[in-house]
């Protein structure tokens, strides 16, 4: 039986750009479909399965960020790679808060797009697996056990959830807002959790990174945190 192709939804209103993306992706063996408005994309996403969404932020009507928020609110967890002409830090932070998995600033090289797509698809698959690894750090999501360098690390429930979340988004900036929402399940912005989050990150860092030559938990100043091997 032929392996089913990876399905990518391209949400882009500019016809030339959308066609170029679709043709390029088809040429790489992906099944690529185009929607030219946020509304039509949303309708399609609620009725069909896709493995990845390429989302242009500048769309007529409801813009990409609104669509992204709505998707996440509806529990659609498909990885989203945002394509944006705006490269201001604030837009990136807003996009990450809205539930984007990665960013690419226009204009970009097609090979870069392909690399990001492959990385997101790999991450999507590892997010479903019971074991996540990064270097010599291993977590078992079912047994809820953590090992670093072959030695068990004793974490509280919250610390485990925090680490698991960082690992799912390995190599990406995770904002405090995202942690408040997805780890602490705190949706009210009037309840500031920044200090609580920082305290938990500090404890997690002591347990995971203390006395290790390769640090895994990094602070991205003014934005949030990132889990990766070595300095970002
Ligand atoms: Ca556009």
């Amino acid at each position: 039986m032929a392996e089913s192709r990876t399905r990518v939804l391209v949400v882009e209103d500019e016809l030339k750009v959308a066609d170029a993306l679709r043709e390029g992706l088809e040429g790489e063996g992906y099944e690529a479909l185009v929607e030219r408005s946020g509304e039509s994309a949303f309708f399609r996403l609620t009725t069909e399965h896709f493995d990845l969404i390429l989302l242009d932020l500048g769309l007529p009507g409801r813009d990409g960020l609104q669509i992204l928020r709505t998707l996440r609110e509806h529990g659609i967890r498909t990885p989203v790679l945002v394509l944006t002409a705006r490269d201001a830090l604030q837009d990136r932070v807003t996009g990450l808060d809205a539930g984007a998995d990665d960013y690419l600033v226009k204009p970009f090289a097609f090979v870069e797009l392909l690399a990001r797509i492959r990385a997101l698809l790999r991450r999507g698959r590892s997010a479903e697996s019971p074991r996540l690894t990064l270097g010599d750090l291993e977590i078992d999501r079912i047994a809820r056990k953590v090992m670093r360098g072959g030695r068990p690390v004793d974490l509280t429930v919250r610390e485990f959830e925090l680490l698991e979340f960082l690992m799912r988004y390995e190599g990406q900036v995770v904002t405090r807002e995202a942690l408040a929402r997805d780890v602490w399940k705190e949706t009210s912005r009037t309840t500031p959790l920044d200090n609580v989050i920082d305290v938990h990150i500090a404890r997690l860092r002591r347990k995971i990174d203390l006395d290790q030559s390769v640090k895994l938990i990094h602070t991205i100043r003014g934005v949030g945190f990132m889990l990766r091997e070595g300095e970002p």
Side-chain angles (χ1 to χ4, degrees), residues 11-14 17 56-60 83 106:
V11 188
E12 165 65 84
D13 58 312
E14 284 165 72
V17 179
D56 180 37
L57 284 193
L59 294 169
L83 308 176
K106 292 175 174 179

